Each structure stands twice: as C-alpha cells, then as structure tokens.
Amino acid sequence: MESEAAMLALAALAQPTRLETFRLLVRHEPQGLAAGEIASRLAVPANTLSAHLGLLSRAGLITAERRSRSIIYRADLDRLRELVVFLLNDCCQGRADLCEPLIAQLSPCRA
C-alpha cells in the first residue's frame, strides 16, 4: 500500500459515522448490509449515509453490489489488511518482543 492510499483510508475513517459504518460492515462480513439497514442501525438519515458510503468507497474500504432493488455494502477486508500491514510494517524496528502484545491482541481474530 502506498502512503497516499493509506492516508485516504485513514482520513475516511477519521469521522464518527464513517468509522461506525465501517465497523458495522466488518461485523457483517461476508454477507454485507443494505444501505437502508445501515442507516436504520446507525440512526443516520439516508442522504447523509449515502455521502459517507461514497467516501468509504472512494477510499477503497468498502464495496457495493446491486442485488435486485438493493445495494449491498461490504467491508473490503483485503484493503483493511493492507492498511494494518502498512501501519505495522516497521513495527518496533524489527524487535518482535516489542510487537508481541499487539500481535496477541490480534490473535482472537484468527479463530
């Protein structure tokens, strides 16, 4: 991942509604959620949510797929992985013992 792409993704997540939207979509992988369902769960007006979804999409953090009359949004977990790896790439300057607590916190995700 390039620095510019990482900054775009981090900027997209640096707003409460977008962060909560992304976290909600991560929790609903792999099936995703329709825009109306996201708006309802987060108590956000549809037009406001639409702008947030557009920004998350342009940052590459979510994808959209039309299913019948609905648009289903999903978190792009590969992009999330790229972002986390980018942030941790130089973790602790190669000293694994310093990174171990962080890695341990990520371990429950592997189950």
Side-chain angles (χ1 to χ4, degrees):
M1 173 174 274
E2 300 289 326
S3 291
E4 189 172 320
M7 288 186 289
L8 183 62
L10 292 169
L13 295 172
Q15 195 279 342
T17 301
R18 290 192 296 270
L19 180 59
E20 287 307 311
T21 298
F22 185 71
R23 292 180 74 214
L24 178 67
L25 290 173
V26 168
R27 287 191 301 270
H28 284 86
E29 273 301 305
Q31 66 272 22
L33 289 172
E37 182 67 20
I38 298 167
S40 175
R41 287 179 186 228
L42 298 179
V44 176
N47 59 340
T48 301
L49 180 65
S50 180
H52 289 306
L53 290 170
L55 207 152
L56 289 167
S57 181
R58 286 188 295 281
L61 293 169
I62 64 171
T63 60
E65 175 186 337
R66 181 169 291 283
R67 288 191 200 151
S68 185
R69 298 180 71 195
S70 297
I71 298 177
I72 305 300
Y73 290 90
R74 296 185 55 222
D76 187 331
L77 297 182
D78 288 335
R79 187 65 161 195
L80 175 59
R81 179 188 46 76
E82 289 174 13
L83 180 60
V84 171
V85 167
F86 174 83
L87 292 171
L88 297 176
N89 195 32
D90 297 318
C91 179
C92 309
Q93 299 180 26
R95 289 200 46 208
D97 59 313
L98 296 175
C99 293
E100 190 58 39
L102 175 62
I103 302 303
Q105 284 187 316
L106 296 174
S107 293
C109 296
R110 296 181 193 159

